[in-house]
Amino acid sequence: MSEDKLFGWSKRILWFDASRREAKEWRYPGEMAKLFIGGRGFAIKILWDHLRPGTDPLSPENLFIAAAGPLTGLAGPNTGKLVVAAKSPLTGGYGDGNIGSWAAVAMRAAGWDAIVISGAADRPSVLVVEDDKAWLDDADDLWGRDAFETHDKLVERYGRDAGFLIVGPAGEKLVRYATIVSQKGRSGGRPGMGAVLGSKKIKAIVVRGTKKPELYDEDSYRKAAIEAIRGVKASPNYSFWMRQGTMFTIEWAQEAGVLPSYNFQEGVFEHYDKISGSYMEKVRVDLRSCPLCVMACGHVIRDAENAEVELDYENIAMLGSNLGIARLEEAALLNRLADLYGIDTISLGNVLGYALEARERGKLDIDADWGNARKLAELVKDIAGRRGIGDLLAEGVMRISERIGETTYAMHVKGLEISAYDCHAAPGMALAYATSPIGAHHKDAWIISWEIQHGRFSYGREKVKKLIEMQRFRGGLFETAVACRFPVVETGISLEHYVKMFQAATGLSYTLDDIYTVADRVYALIRMFWIREKGSWSMATA
Ligand code: PTT
């Protein structure tokens, strides 16, 4: 297919130089879309080509990238997603995250496949993107405000039809695991993407658009999307999912002995039933979702201060059992603080768990204890403001442990704290963490569920093959075409639905194998980036 017949992409990237306040349109070559598809693929290609090797992640020279894929924002199952990426201030390597946000839909409607921000503003600012135009508005009055207040102010100022990507106070203070927050309950970019945007003095990106991506075959796309949605709703797992979302995992992890407890010292928690999905069902007050979602996962409860908060398994395991907290409402309070300040809950739960264990061993002097949510909440505030001991804790587990000389119980891979699955007796999951392209995140391969079913103590080739397959579709297909993976991994619909949607949207006749080839290319380039930036790639041979 010739380049001018490329559908599904706008073939335009907005390049915004925040130092000069200058917007440029980059009509990137069609070959880039064919070879890297979008999302994470575009992010790594741009970082590889345009970031000077050795760049300090918190300097103006780093690039902040928000990248969509050809499926983003199209009517279809769970396509309101966006990849946020940069060189990570937490790991020093490639970092990204996948956030559900109206900004994803709006960016495509504005006619951009990605937004790249270089340089840094000279004062707190908001980057406003409205169709073809982009500019900085002053945001002195927003600086220091939490992510929810900022959201409300942005709605007042720019209207409800705009999408927002927001930096909380933690991003402003360059907490190394600060995230981007959207819609008062979505958070993405675990390896410090919020700190990178904060270092550019950009409090928020506001996007609004009036266009529609041009598809190769609208009818076929619509049919494929409707088939996929029907598949989700017909799934035997669907009704249970709508009751508990990811929170069902607490009971599952307890039964499997992989529920992180007391800084991963245990894989079971004696009070798991007080933080479980079943308990959550009894106290739930609302259910929220990302845009264009057909299987909402944002279960909302009232926390210990009676404020609403959206829960997920990772948040409650890391800020509940991992800290010895035996009340869902108290773990939810820490979850809400993380969302308000824009701090990653997984890294935060690791940092606090590590600090409590170090205290237990007499290596760190902090005023907190296992299960004491009030004291831990104060520590979270100190981290967000980099006050007192919070300044050290804002550095992340790898740096804290090196600073105090206690590395044996520091739970991270390549500097990114591990997700909420204890892998002492799950070697496949340990391999998934070790070979994840951003550090210890479960997003690229959640093999633990498969390995528990198929033999958790086996070290055979079959397990490694499964792991690679997962990386190819989870970290490959879903992070480049950019849609939520939950319809496939939680309701079990076929990946072929996405292949059909991809073909109808773009006009490219890629098979699943072709998409896996793209995934391999993207992984290879990410590994090269790590080697370039860090001098090594500490991974096994997956
Ligand atoms: C993701 C990581 C996860 S993974 C969770 S819960 W999960 C944590 N959520 C946080 C949160 O909330 N607040 C906060 N302050 N920090 C948080 N850190 C943690 O971040 C997320 C959903 C979920 S809920 C998951 S699994 C799936 N993730 C997807 C993915 O990675 N890719 C993809 N194509 N589809 C996905 N679908 C699901 O989306 P990161 P979100 Mg998150 C409040 O971003 O950096 O990738 O880390 O984005 O919009 O909240 O959706 O049991």
Side-chain angles (χ1 to χ4, degrees), residues 80-81 84 96-101 179 181 185-191 246 249 290 297 310-315 335 337-340 342-347 421 438 441-443 474 478-479 482-486:
K81 288 282 212 176
V84 286
D96 73 13
N98 195 306
I99 187 166
S101 170
T179 54
V181 180
R186 307 271 107 201
S187 160
R190 290 195 53 210
T246 60
T249 317
C290 301
C297 67
E310 208 178 301
L311 308 179
D312 266 307
Y313 164 72
E314 301 289 330
N315 306 351
N335 185 163
L337 292 179
D339 290 350
L340 286 171
I343 304 179
D344 175 51
T345 52
I346 298 175
S347 292
Y421 306 95
I438 62 169
H441 199 331
H442 62 289
K443 71 190 281 174
R474 293 168 64 109
F478 286 109
E479 300 308 321
V482 191
C484 176
R485 63 171 182 261
F486 277 167

Side-chain angles (χ1 to χ4, degrees), residues 226-482:
I226 289 171
E227 264 175 40
I229 293 169
R230 285 201 179 121
V232 168
K233 299 208 167 163
S235 160
N237 300 344
Y238 181 69
S239 61
F240 184 57
W241 173 266
M242 294 307 287
R243 279 171 41 202
Q244 294 203 359
T246 60
M247 283 293 290
F248 80 89
T249 317
I250 295 273
E251 274 160 83
W252 174 85
Q254 169 77 9
E255 205 170 303
V258 300
L259 181 65
S261 304
Y262 304 99
N263 195 35
F264 292 87
Q265 294 180 85
E266 304 286 345
V268 288
F269 183 48
E270 63 274 29
H271 304 294
Y272 78 96
D273 53 327
K274 301 193 184 87
I275 59 166
S276 68
S278 302
Y279 175 77
M280 182 276 297
E281 279 193 70
K282 294 183 199 143
V283 295
R284 186 180 60 193
V285 294
D286 202 358
L287 180 61
R288 296 187 193 142
S289 70
C290 301
L292 301 169
C293 176
V294 296
M295 44 180 294
C297 67
H299 294 269
V300 179
I301 70 158
R302 290 194 172 276
D303 68 14
E305 292 181 346
N306 203 30
E308 289 191 355
V309 53
E310 208 178 301
L311 308 179
D312 266 307
Y313 164 72
E314 301 289 330
N315 306 351
I316 296 307
M318 294 311 301
L319 299 173
S321 52
N322 199 49
L323 305 179
I325 291 179
R327 263 190 80 209
L328 184 62
E329 291 78 358
E330 290 185 339
L333 166 64
L334 300 182
N335 185 163
R336 182 169 55 88
L337 292 179
D339 290 350
L340 286 171
Y341 298 133
I343 304 179
D344 175 51
T345 52
I346 298 175
S347 292
L348 179 65
N350 272 282
V351 163
L352 295 174
Y354 174 83
L356 291 174
E357 189 173 344
R359 174 185 177 270
E360 203 169 62
R361 293 168 185 259
K363 302 291 181 190
L364 195 65
D365 184 18
I366 51 164
D367 180 22
D369 204 353
W370 301 113
N372 189 334
R374 296 283 151 189
K375 293 250 161 117
L376 289 167
E378 291 311 308
L379 269 187
V380 176
K381 292 174 193 167
D382 289 343
I383 291 171
R386 277 191 175 269
R387 278 188 304 266
I389 191 76
D391 194 32
L392 173 64
L393 301 186
E395 294 290 288
V397 164
M398 178 177 73
R399 287 177 176 78
I400 307 166
S401 64
E402 283 165 2
R403 204 92 45 95
I404 68 171
E406 286 283 296
T407 52
T408 46
Y409 49 97
M411 307 301 290
H412 70 88
V413 173
K414 296 199 281 279
L416 183 69
E417 290 78 8
I418 92 170
S419 300
Y421 306 95
D422 185 309
C423 54
H424 281 104
M429 196 62 215
L431 184 63
Y433 286 144
T435 58
S436 151
I438 62 169
H441 199 331
H442 62 289
K443 71 190 281 174
D444 284 74
W446 192 61
I447 196 167
I448 194 162
S449 141
W450 184 91
E451 79 172 328
I452 284 170
Q453 275 172 18
H454 293 81
R456 64 197 292 177
F457 297 111
S458 103
Y459 286 79
R461 294 183 79 83
E462 196 197 1
K463 196 176 269 187
V464 176
K465 265 176 75 181
K466 187 71 193 171
L467 179 80
I468 294 169
E469 184 197 338
M470 283 190 174
Q471 289 180 333
R472 283 170 152 179
F473 77 79
R474 293 168 64 109
L477 190 160
F478 286 109
E479 300 308 321
T480 60
V482 191

Side-chain angles (χ1 to χ4, degrees), residues 38-44 83 94 96 437 443-444 475 479 522-523 526:
R40 168 184 273 183
F42 278 11
I44 187 58
V83 169
Y94 172 77
D96 73 13
K443 71 190 281 174
D444 284 74
E479 300 308 321
V522 171
Y523 275 94
I526 292 178

Side-chain angles (χ1 to χ4, degrees), residues 494-506:
S494 165
L495 284 166
E496 288 301 330
H497 290 296
Y498 287 86
V499 176
K500 281 191 202 161
M501 287 190 282
F502 178 85
Q503 290 176 348
T506 65

